[in-house]
């Protein structure tokens, strides 16, 4: 009957998809997103507005704007390399770490060369930080003593990457991979168990993973199996594929993710299938990946383990903070890329980044060229600035794209941490010229005490005198053949999740 109301529920899941036609996406994946910016696909359900970031220390590392060459979290402190110095801070002022050793300033510029990278080992009674600066012999820091490893040879002099693997330190220096003697970061003699391996192209990344060392070049991927020089074996995974940039390889959920020439890939999928086309997991956002690759001069990446997330950030000296772009991938299955859900970030301007999991706490640091080090996943703003977040559903044909629907009402389910406000726009018929669009609806929640995310039940609850709602019933107007729902938030409010909607509508004649 023409005046009978019907309901159409949509559960928000699937993440950003931009490789499908509008009707195909709206029909097959109605809860996915055509825009998902500064919302993250959450392992707890729905799309959650991301958390903010704040300064690790209110002071600039060297007291003025400068390119940060590398960041690391070590023994409760942020470590930052700026210029030819290494600095540390617990959050109350930066102190230069000195012991007659300084980094070379040769070749440092903010387009990527001169990057400083770190690794830790625990060969003795203390945890030691190893540092390479792309120009000099490696350095070490024990927490109290900073020195250069003067026994390093020409194979380690100018190393760009370092990793601890099987109680050896492995150094990448152009096409040479060298390793120290076991349990010794300063012995590089063959008689003690040190050695070198040559590759046919520049080594761009190293990863110790599943008791094997993976070596990424621009043209190939290899693994090194074995435990010592006596049984180390170099095995090619592929000679036709590599990474397009350093600092994109991360372990997530039993896989290694990296940025290849055709998108983001999972190494385990590639290795398992022996078909490298099947390893690409970012095809559904190929446009976004291509754009960030074309616009960026260098990359950084981190994992947020408690969220099963991989994040990659593009950096360009011309990016303003607002224009800085990144991609979030949330893994919903234990392994494999079939259950990856994607989103975009805007406003996290990360030239270098690092995440460290210690005990039950995860610390995520990043920096760019303004001289500050920032802590990600902290606070409700981008260092005091509003977080601009947008989620737009696909164009939903609901039941039939050839029949006109009057949209009467929407029931929206949310999971807030506290006060928030969100604008909702209904966009009919692809926003074509001449189609009348309804006015913007604003929903809001006021709470004087925040709830704990995921612990509350749906409904309306009182917190500290404020009323925190979880279900919003909104009257709607307008009609069309297809409709998309756009949710936007510009605020410094706590994060909130958009879980699902139920649309009430009436269906009328065909075209």
């Amino acid at each position: 009957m023409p005046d009978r109301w019907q309901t159409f529920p949509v559960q928000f899941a699937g993440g950003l998809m931009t490789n499908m036609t509008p009707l195909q996406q709206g029909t097959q994946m109605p809860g996915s997103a055509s825009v998902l910016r500064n919302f993250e696909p959450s392992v707890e359900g729905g799309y959650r507005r991301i958390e903010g970031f704040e300064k690790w220390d209110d002071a600039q590392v060297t007291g003025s704007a400068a390119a940060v060459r590398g960041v690391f979290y070590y023994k409760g402190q942020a470590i930052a390399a700026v210029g030819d110095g290494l600095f540390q801070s617990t959050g109350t002022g930066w102190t230069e770490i000195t012991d007659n050793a300084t980094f070379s300033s040769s070749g440092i510029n903010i387009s990527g060369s001169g990057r400083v990278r770190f690794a830790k080992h625990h060969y003795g009674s203390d945890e030691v930080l190893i540092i390479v600066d792309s120009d000099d012999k490696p350095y070490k820091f024990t927490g109290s003593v900073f020195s250069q490893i003067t026994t390093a040879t020409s194979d380690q002099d100018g190393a760009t990457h370092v990793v601890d693997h099987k109680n050896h330190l492995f150094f990448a220096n152009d096409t040479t991979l060298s390793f120290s003697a076991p349990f010794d970061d300063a012995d590089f003699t063959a008689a003690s168990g040190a050695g070198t391996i040559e590759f046919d192209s520049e080594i761009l990344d190293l990863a110790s993973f599943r008791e094997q060392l993976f070596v990424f070049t621009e043209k190939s991927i290899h693994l090194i199996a074995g435990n010592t020089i006596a049984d180390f074996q170099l095995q090619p995974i592929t000679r036709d594929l590599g990474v397009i940039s350093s600092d994109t390889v991360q372990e997530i959920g039993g896989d290694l993710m990296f940025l290849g020439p055709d998108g983001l890939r999972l190494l385990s999928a590639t290795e398992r299938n022996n078909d490298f086309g099947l390893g690409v997991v970012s095809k559904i956002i190929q446009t976004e990946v291509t754009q960030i690759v074309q616009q960026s001069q260098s990359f950084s990446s981190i994992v947020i383990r408690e969220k099963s997330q991989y994040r990659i950030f593009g950096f360009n000296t011309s990016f303003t903070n607002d224009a800085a772009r990144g991609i979030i991938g949330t893994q919903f299955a234990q392994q494999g890329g079939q259950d990856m859900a994607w989103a975009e970030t805007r406003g996290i301007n990360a030239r270098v980044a690092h995440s460290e999991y210690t005990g039950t706490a995860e610390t995520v640091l990043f920096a760019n060229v303004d001289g500050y080090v920032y802590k990600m996943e902290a606070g409700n703003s981008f260092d005091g600035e509003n977080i601009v977040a947008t989620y737009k559903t696909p164009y939903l044909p609901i039941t039939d794209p050839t029949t006109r629907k009057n949209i009467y009402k929407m029931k929206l389910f949310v999971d807030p941490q506290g006060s928030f406000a969100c604008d909702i726009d209904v966009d009919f018929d692809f926003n074509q010229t001449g189609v009348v669009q309804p006015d913007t609806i604003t929903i809001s929640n006021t709470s004087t005490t925040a709830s704990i995310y995921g612990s509350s039940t749906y409904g309306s609850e009182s917190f500290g005198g404020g009323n925190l709602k979880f279900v919003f019933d909104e009257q709607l107007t307008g009609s069309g053949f297809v409709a998309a729902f756009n949710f936007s938030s510009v605020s410094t409010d706590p994060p909130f999740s958009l879980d699902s909607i139920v649309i009430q509508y009436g269906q009328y004649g065909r075209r």
Side-chain angles (χ1 to χ4, degrees):
M1 297 179 63
D3 59 348
R4 188 178 68 182
W5 284 22
Q6 302 179 62
T7 60
F8 184 74
V10 180
Q11 180 181 356
F12 297 151
L16 181 64
M17 297 181 179
T18 57
N19 69 331
M20 303 173 74
T21 64
L23 282 180
Q24 182 186 31
Q25 185 178 357
T27 301
Q28 298 181 12
M29 298 291 295
S32 64
S34 59
V35 178
L36 194 61
R37 189 169 298 150
N38 288 341
F39 278 100
E40 58 191 9
S42 173
V43 293
E44 297 185 16
Y47 300 132
R48 184 173 185 258
R49 203 218 63 193
I50 65 173
E51 296 182 61
F53 62 79
E54 56 192 26
K55 292 184 179 71
W56 174 269
D57 193 305
D58 288 336
Q60 292 168 307
V61 178
T62 58
S64 61
V68 178
R69 303 174 61 191
V71 291
F72 205 80
Y73 184 73
Y74 175 64
K75 293 187 175 181
Q77 298 197 82
I79 306 294
V82 178
D84 61 0
L86 193 69
F87 302 81
Q88 61 184 354
S89 169
T90 59
T92 57
W94 292 94
T95 303
E96 185 169 8
I97 303 168
T98 59
D99 187 26
N100 299 321
T102 57
F103 296 131
S104 169
S105 59
S106 173
I108 300 172
N109 60 65
I110 55 177
S111 64
S113 64
R115 188 72 61 90
V116 174
R117 298 182 177 91
F118 305 84
K120 293 186 299 182
H121 75 70
H122 210 306
Y123 298 159
S125 60
D126 197 13
E127 187 177 62
V128 176
L129 188 64
I130 303 297
I131 309 110
V132 294
D133 73 343
S134 310
D135 198 84
D136 288 327
K137 292 183 178 182
Y139 303 83
K140 62 189 294 185
F141 180 51
T142 65
S144 58
V145 178
F146 176 52
S147 59
Q148 191 167 39
I149 303 176
T150 56
T151 54
T153 71
S154 60
D155 291 324
Q156 298 84 45
D157 195 346
T160 55
H161 298 77
V162 58
V163 67
D164 172 36
H165 176 71
K166 292 294 182 73
N167 301 313
H168 298 259
L169 287 179
F170 282 77
F171 296 87
N173 187 356
D174 196 14
T175 60
T176 301
L177 181 69
S178 60
F179 52 93
S180 69
F183 298 100
D184 195 329
D185 57 24
D187 188 347
F188 297 95
T189 60
S192 300
T196 62
I197 302 172
E198 286 294 329
F199 291 80
D200 57 3
S201 57
E202 181 184 0
I203 300 169
L204 297 180
D205 235 322
L206 302 172
S208 180
F209 177 64
R210 291 184 181 176
E211 300 299 311
Q212 298 168 321
L213 180 65
F214 289 82
V215 182
F216 295 81
T217 78
E218 186 177 9
K219 300 177 181 178
S220 62
I221 304 173
H222 295 76
L223 67 83
I224 295 176
N227 298 290
T228 67
I229 191 172
D231 63 353
F232 279 148
Q233 296 180 359
L234 180 65
Q235 302 173 7
I237 294 175
T238 173
R239 299 184 186 276
D240 300 317
L241 173 72
V243 295
I244 66 170
S245 176
S246 296
D247 304 305
T248 69
V249 179
Q250 296 287 347
E251 179 182 349
I252 175 171
D255 293 317
L256 281 180
M257 185 167 284
F258 64 96
L259 182 61
D262 51 358
L264 290 162
R265 288 175 170 262
L266 286 177
L267 179 62
S268 64
T270 299
E271 183 183 8
R272 199 166 43 236
N273 292 302
N274 197 29
D275 184 341
F276 301 106
L278 296 178
V280 180
V281 294
S282 61
K283 285 295 186 183
I284 59 176
I285 55 163
Q286 191 62 39
T287 299
E288 286 68 28
V289 173
T290 300
Q291 288 175 349
I292 196 173
V293 168
Q294 292 176 345
Q295 295 172 5
S296 302
Q297 297 168 336
S298 62
F299 298 89
S300 61
S301 65
I302 52 98
V303 289
I304 302 177
R305 294 159 184 84
E306 65 180 11
K307 294 183 176 182
S308 298
Q309 275 186 13
Y310 170 93
R311 294 188 180 186
I312 184 171
F313 306 99
F315 178 79
N316 191 309
T317 54
S318 66
F319 284 168
T320 62
N321 287 343
D322 291 342
R325 303 182 62 171
I327 292 173
I328 296 175
T330 302
Q331 191 174 41
F332 285 87
Q334 186 66 28
Q335 273 188 275
Q338 295 83 1
D339 291 312
M340 294 291 300
W342 303 96
E344 287 187 287
T345 64
R346 291 288 175 88
I348 303 177
N349 195 9
R351 180 184 182 240
V352 293
H354 171 70
S355 60
E356 187 78 16
Y357 194 80
T358 53
T360 59
E362 192 159 25
T363 302
V364 185
L365 303 176
F366 75 95
N368 48 60
V369 299
D370 63 7
Y372 292 102
V373 172
Y374 298 91
K375 183 179 180 181
M376 204 182 300
E377 295 292 283
N380 302 320
S381 70
F382 285 169
D383 194 36
E385 299 295 325
N386 285 329
I387 299 178
V388 181
T390 302
Y391 163 50
K392 185 174 183 179
T393 71
Y395 281 95
L396 305 173
I398 301 182
T399 56
D400 186 344
T402 66
T403 59
R404 178 174 292 276
K405 274 77 65 175
N406 275 6
I407 307 296
Y408 297 120
K409 193 174 181 180
M410 176 189 69
K411 186 185 291 285
L412 172 66
F413 296 84
V414 300
D415 197 348
Q417 284 187 232
S419 301
F420 79 97
C422 181
D423 289 340
I424 304 172
D425 290 284
V426 184
D427 183 359
F428 287 102
D429 296 345
F430 309 106
N431 202 22
Q432 297 178 78
T433 302
V435 177
V436 178
Q437 306 295 350
D439 294 334
T440 299
I441 298 171
T442 299
I443 61 172
S444 62
N445 229 340
T446 301
S447 171
T448 56
T449 303
S451 66
I452 299 175
Y453 176 73
S455 67
S456 302
T457 56
Y458 282 112
S460 180
E461 300 188 13
S462 180
F463 290 81
N467 195 38
L468 193 62
K469 292 181 64 177
F470 296 84
V471 181
F472 291 85
D473 285 297
E474 298 297 327
Q475 301 295 326
L476 303 179
T477 60
S479 67
F481 295 94
V482 294
F485 293 78
N486 189 80
F487 303 86
S488 59
S489 169
V490 182
S491 75
T492 58
D493 292 330
F496 62 95
S497 290
L498 301 172
D499 287 341
S500 58
I501 56 173
V502 177
I503 303 164
Q504 297 186 34
Y505 68 97
Q507 186 164 288
Y508 297 91
R510 296 186 179 276
R511 291 180 184 270

